[in-house]
Amino acid sequence: MRSGELKVLHVTEAVGAGVESAITQYVRSTPEMQHTILISGDRPERIGGNHDLSWAHTGGLAGLAWALQRRASSYDVIHLHSSLAGAIGRTVMLPSRTPVVYSPHALAHLNDARKLRSMFKAIEQVLQRHTSAFGAVSQHEADALMAIGVGAGRIVVVPHAIKPPDAPSSFETRGTSVIGVGRLSVQKDPWMFAEVASLARRTDSQSQWRWVGDGDDNARAALEQTGVVVTGWLDASAAHAEMQQARALLHTARYEGLPIALVEALAAGTPVVARDIPALRNLPVRLFESPQQMLGALESLQDREEWTAASLEGVSHVRATFTGHAQAAALRELYAKAVNR
């Protein structure tokens, strides 16, 4: 079967933020295929920029499972996105002959702060036997899949597809804000972001801190109590504008596959300071363990020459690595593995 004839059903419960961005990229990178996106809930949270895609909505997780079971035979490939949809989808699909592709977008059992980690890992180990192929967002995620028994021949690393602007904003045209991006959740650890902001305000009461995204009410309250402005979900253009205007992005996540927002920041010429986690160690970002170290790195980026060097390095890396051509080739390989297995 030629790739242009493929009908792909993408399935996720994680609408909004990075997973939705990734699916949107996959659809745009392979326009020769027929894509439908099945989500639980009423509508995507990232308003704007992807309404032309074929979205199908269900009424919650039970509705998602039922709709998948009913629709599966009409597609050539089922592509499951995120750990929860991956577990539900592969369980529902056990009797089906339709090939199943799974993209975790950060495996849940890698979170050292999550309860029942061993249970999540055991579920992944069992369900990997019922998965035709795996789409990893980074080599780190591919390695994590192999660690639970997935053969390397079933894994394809699918890079993000990010196009840097022709002329990223310069140091002189930037504001002084530090931003965080993503869903307010234990994984992203906005509480650490709040701690860094609180430390900064002890010596600089005028410093500006912003979080682009939404989620857990307690996390929002913790951020707002330290003076961090939480914008809520923004459409793609508004989120990119936040990145273009920021002095730096602070990424405090406990674990990741490879966050799209971080790569988008690098593409925008925005230096990134981040928690030292394995998924980020091949990127041109500054990695640290403690809030004090993170604040020190952010303060060093107030120097024009140091900021400019970090900005140029990030843009150059994205241009060389995260291209639409590379993503499209990887997706075609991934679906071919699934169909021909």
Side-chain angles (χ1 to χ4, degrees):
M1 178 182 293
R2 295 193 301 271
S3 63
E5 298 173 343
L6 280 179
K7 294 177 64 178
V8 182
L9 179 65
H10 299 270
V11 183
T12 185
E13 92 294 343
V15 289
V19 173
E20 187 181 323
S21 296
I23 296 172
T24 298
Q25 286 184 10
Y26 296 174
V27 174
R28 298 202 190 289
S29 291
T30 53
E32 74 277 12
M33 302 179 192
Q34 298 181 48
H35 298 271
T36 301
I37 308 161
L38 183 65
I39 64 174
S40 79
D42 296 329
R43 62 175 177 80
E45 291 177 354
R46 268 179 62 125
I47 303 167
N50 56 19
H51 288 302
D52 59 309
L53 275 56
S54 178
W55 299 95
H57 313 293
T58 70
L61 295 178
L64 188 74
W66 180 83
L68 173 57
Q69 194 171 46
R70 182 170 56 88
R71 289 168 173 256
S73 61
S74 299
Y75 292 86
D76 302 305
V77 176
I78 306 299
H79 194 159
L80 306 172
H81 299 265
S82 81
S83 294
L84 184 53
I88 294 171
R90 286 179 291 177
T91 301
V92 168
M93 292 292 292
L94 284 177
S96 174
R97 295 183 178 180
T98 307
V100 173
V101 168
Y102 172 45
S103 292
H105 301 284
L107 287 153
H109 69 266
L110 298 181
N111 184 358
D112 59 8
R114 185 185 289 273
K115 297 178 180 179
L116 304 176
R117 285 180 68 197
S118 59
M119 183 188 74
F120 291 128
K121 183 176 181 180
I123 291 171
E124 291 286 359
Q125 288 173 320
V126 170
L127 291 177
Q128 64 90 6
R129 303 166 194 160
H130 306 287
T131 312
S132 303
F134 293 79
V137 294
S138 65
Q139 186 56 50
H140 163 70
E141 189 163 80
D143 293 341
L145 287 167
M146 286 187 278
I148 60 170
V150 181
R154 284 196 288 153
I155 303 171
V156 176
V157 176
V158 182
H160 300 317
I162 310 293
K163 185 179 184 302
D166 293 335
S169 302
S170 66
F171 180 85
E172 289 78 10
T173 60
R174 298 269 177 156
T176 59
S177 63
V178 175
I179 65 168
V181 180
R183 185 179 300 280
L184 297 176
S185 63
V186 171
Q187 179 199 345
K188 299 296 185 184
D189 200 0
W191 293 272
M192 177 178 273
F193 188 97
E195 187 175 353
V196 179
S198 179
L199 287 172
R201 290 192 180 281
R202 294 178 186 177
T203 56
D204 181 8
S205 61
Q206 301 303 311
S207 60
Q208 299 178 42
W209 296 75
R210 298 171 66 81
W211 187 284
V212 179
D214 210 340
D216 182 85
D217 290 338
N218 291 330
R220 173 188 272 270
L223 289 169
E224 292 177 340
Q225 285 170 6
T226 58
V228 177
V229 175
V230 180
T231 67
W233 295 113
L234 302 178
D235 64 35
S237 61
H240 291 160
E242 290 274 353
M243 290 181 185
Q244 286 274 13
Q245 295 162 9
R247 178 63 51 83
L249 182 142
L250 175 61
H251 192 76
T252 53
R254 296 175 182 274
Y255 72 102
E256 290 282 8
L258 182 62
I260 286 181
L262 191 153
V263 180
E264 288 176 334
L266 293 174
T270 304
V272 174
V273 173
R275 192 184 204 134
D276 187 1
I277 56 175
L280 308 185
R281 289 175 186 163
N282 292 325
L283 295 174
V285 302
R286 300 175 176 213
L287 299 173
F288 300 97
E289 292 285 353
S290 72
Q292 292 80 6
Q293 292 170 334
M294 292 175 181
L295 180 58
L298 291 167
E299 289 175 340
S300 73
L301 290 170
Q302 295 176 16
D303 177 80
R304 181 185 182 280
E305 289 188 5
E306 189 159 350
W307 184 94
T308 301
S311 175
L312 292 174
E313 184 182 16
V315 172
S316 176
H317 183 82
V318 172
R319 283 182 173 151
T321 309
F322 298 99
T323 68
H325 176 77
Q327 184 180 83
L331 286 169
R332 293 180 190 117
E333 180 185 358
L334 175 64
Y335 295 147
K337 280 182 181 290
V339 170
N340 297 324
R341 185 168 183 249

